């Protein structure tokens, strides 16, 4: 992928009084061992978020900013939660949350789960695939079954068409890296032809969790990190990480068991954002992190296959909606 236009990205950044994205780790366990993810090497104790804590978080988002994107993500495969995940999503949509964005490897997306996801009010489902061939998939998505996940996605796509549902939008994701870059065009064509949207983004280092040589280029002027400016990352235990790069929880900024989102966002996290606005990056994970260089993701849709929509790394994409 080409080097980002950092002036363009910086122009989109502003001080927010509430996070644009709430990344909520409902589970910190995964069923795959993907090469571009540090989850398999984590020291953090695995666990699941309690429903009462999810409710507390969702209630505040619903009251303050129902258009904030809610991602049940960070360091785990959400479908491992089974019916508990559906209960969580159902509560959020019932409280008026407009944008539940599900990110899954699709290995557990059986027909029953597909039917429930089609009904529960998810806005978008992003499928982590990263390969257009079985051979490359096995190399990257270690422990996964390429044919099974492909079949799972196509069943859900067919179900949505049969029911005449416009949501959730289904998006096949391709994290571009040395191991798969030759399949970029094939991946895009394959999924667009099947009626599934495509997201292409560069590999991240998760702070300093995995090697990301694509980000090892010099950039004279560093910009405030879009991740820190836009997102709140909440671990399953309710503690607020500085960002996704703090997946181990070494730099917690607050605890939603005892604080509100507003208190943490406009308290300790605001202090840390202020350092970025002042172009000061004195502490880990910022000091060694290159993820701010990753730039924008590319989105393509079946009805306009040559048109590209650019968004920051974790954001979902709307096509004209609020």
């Amino acid at each position: 992928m080409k080097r980002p236009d950092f002036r363009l990205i910086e122009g989109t950044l502003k001080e927010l009084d509430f996070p644009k994205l709430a990344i909520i780790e409902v589970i910190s366990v995964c069923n795959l061992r993907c090469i571009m993810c540090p989850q398999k090497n984590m020291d953090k104790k695995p666990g699941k978020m309690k429903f009462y804590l999810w409710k507390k978080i969702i209630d505040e988002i619903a009251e303050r900013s129902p258009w904030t994107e809610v991602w049940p993500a960070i360091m785990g495969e959400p479908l491992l939660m089974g019916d508990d995940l559906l209960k969580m999503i159902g509560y959020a949509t019932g409280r008026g949350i407009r944008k539940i964005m599900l990110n899954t490897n699709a290995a557990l997306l059986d027909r029953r789960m597909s039917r429930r996801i089609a009904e529960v009010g998810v806005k978008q489902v992003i499928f982590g695939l990263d390969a257009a061939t079985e051979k490359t998939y096995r190399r990257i998505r270690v422990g996964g079954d390429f044919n099974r996940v492909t079949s799972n996605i196509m069943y859900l796509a067919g179900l949505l068409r049969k029911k005449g549902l416009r949501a959730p939008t289904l998006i096949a994701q391709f994290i571009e890296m040395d191991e798969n870059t030759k399949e970029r065009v094939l991946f895009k064509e394959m999924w667009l032809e099947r009626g599934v949207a495509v997201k292409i983004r560069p590999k991240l280092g998760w702070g300093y969790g995995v090697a990301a040589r694509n980000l090892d280029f010099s950039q004279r002027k560093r910009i405030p990190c879009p991740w820190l400016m836009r997102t709140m990352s909440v671990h399953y235990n309710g503690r607020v990480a500085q960002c996704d790069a703090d997946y181990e929880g070494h730099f917690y900024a607050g605890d939603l068991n005892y604080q509100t989102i507003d208190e943490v966002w406009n308290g300790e996290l605001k202090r840390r954002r202020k350092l970025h606005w002042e172009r000061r990056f004195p502490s880990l994970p910022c000091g060694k992190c290159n993820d701010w260089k990753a730039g924008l993701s590319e989105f393509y849709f079946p009805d306009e296959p040559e048109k590209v929509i650019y968004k920051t790394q974790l954001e979902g994409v709307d096509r004209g909606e609020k």
Side-chain angles (χ1 to χ4, degrees):
M1 301 182 77
K2 64 182 180 180
R3 185 175 298 199
D5 183 340
F6 291 103
R7 291 177 300 176
L8 174 64
I9 297 170
E10 186 173 11
T12 69
L13 302 179
K14 60 182 179 180
E15 185 61 32
L16 303 172
D17 61 5
F18 200 82
K20 186 174 183 178
L21 301 96
I23 315 167
I24 306 172
E25 183 182 68
V26 295
I27 188 170
S28 65
V29 179
C30 192
N31 52 337
L32 302 186
R33 296 176 61 82
C34 304
I35 63 173
M36 68 294 184
C37 178
Q39 197 278 341
K40 56 188 176 294
N41 298 318
M42 278 201 316
D43 293 325
K44 188 176 72 175
K45 182 180 178 181
K48 300 178 181 179
M49 179 169 282
K50 302 295 186 182
F51 186 65
Y52 74 84
L53 181 56
W54 170 266
K55 286 178 63 177
K56 179 180 184 293
I57 295 168
I58 292 300
D59 286 346
E60 184 176 358
I61 296 172
E63 292 170 6
R64 284 290 310 277
S65 178
W67 287 98
T68 287
E69 293 182 14
V70 174
W71 295 74
I74 298 182
M75 279 292 143
E77 167 51 50
L79 295 191
L80 285 170
M81 295 284 286
D83 287 345
D84 287 342
L85 174 68
L86 297 168
K87 180 181 177 182
M88 288 174 159
I89 294 174
Y91 181 80
T93 55
R95 288 287 285 119
I97 302 298
R98 306 292 203 275
K99 297 182 180 180
I100 296 287
M101 322 294 272
L102 186 60
N103 197 325
T104 175
N105 58 41
L108 300 175
L109 187 68
D110 59 23
R111 295 193 172 194
R112 177 180 177 275
M113 181 60 74
S114 288
R115 290 193 293 270
R116 295 295 303 280
I117 287 175
E119 299 167 350
V120 77
V122 175
K123 178 73 170 178
Q124 292 180 13
V125 184
I126 296 181
F127 303 107
L129 300 174
D130 311 315
T133 64
E134 184 176 4
K135 180 179 178 180
T136 301
Y137 180 88
R138 287 200 308 266
R139 184 180 181 187
I140 295 174
R141 292 267 165 181
V142 179
D145 184 319
F146 180 75
N147 293 320
R148 176 178 294 176
V149 299
T150 300
S151 176
N152 289 347
I153 295 167
M154 293 313 300
Y155 175 80
L156 178 55
L159 182 65
L160 296 177
R161 285 195 296 270
K162 182 178 179 180
K163 290 178 173 291
L165 298 175
R166 298 182 62 183
T169 301
L170 306 185
I171 303 173
Q173 178 172 265
F174 186 86
I175 300 174
E176 189 169 358
M177 56 192 103
D178 292 343
E179 292 80 2
N180 66 2
T181 188
K182 292 182 179 179
E183 295 187 2
R184 172 191 167 105
V185 174
L186 179 59
F187 182 91
K188 176 186 170 186
E189 292 176 347
M190 179 176 76
W191 285 105
L192 291 179
E193 288 175 359
R194 294 175 177 182
V196 176
V198 170
K199 177 183 179 182
I200 300 176
R201 71 167 178 84
K203 182 181 181 181
L204 299 174
W206 290 89
Y208 41 94
V210 296
R213 293 185 299 172
N214 56 302
L215 303 179
D216 287 341
F217 57 85
S218 61
Q219 172 64 24
R220 185 177 60 84
K221 182 182 178 183
R222 183 166 180 173
I223 66 172
C225 182
W227 297 80
L228 184 60
M229 297 298 118
R230 301 173 189 271
T231 66
M232 174 175 278
S233 299
V234 185
H235 287 183
Y236 72 87
N237 56 14
R239 301 186 74 181
V240 178
Q242 175 167 314
C243 58
D244 271 20
D246 186 22
Y247 57 88
E248 291 277 21
H250 292 156
F251 309 97
Y252 282 134
D255 190 335
L256 297 188
N257 287 287
Y258 312 105
Q259 297 172 279
T260 65
I261 294 173
D262 183 77
E263 288 171 343
V264 179
W265 182 258
N266 291 302
E268 177 58 21
L269 281 180
K270 185 172 184 177
R271 186 190 71 81
R272 299 184 191 187
R273 293 196 302 275
K274 184 173 184 291
L275 294 177
H276 276 234
W277 288 122
E278 295 171 350
R279 303 303 194 271
R280 292 192 288 156
F281 313 98
S283 63
L284 293 172
C286 301
K288 293 184 178 180
C289 182
N290 282 324
D291 287 351
W292 63 275
K293 296 180 182 178
L296 303 174
S297 297
E298 302 172 17
F299 287 86
Y300 301 89
F301 289 85
D303 59 343
E304 295 181 287
E306 300 307 317
K307 179 181 178 180
V308 58
I309 298 174
Y310 293 100
K311 301 289 285 187
T312 53
Q313 284 297 305
L314 192 62
E315 283 183 287
V317 61
D318 287 334
R319 305 180 71 192
E321 308 105 316
K322 181 178 178 183

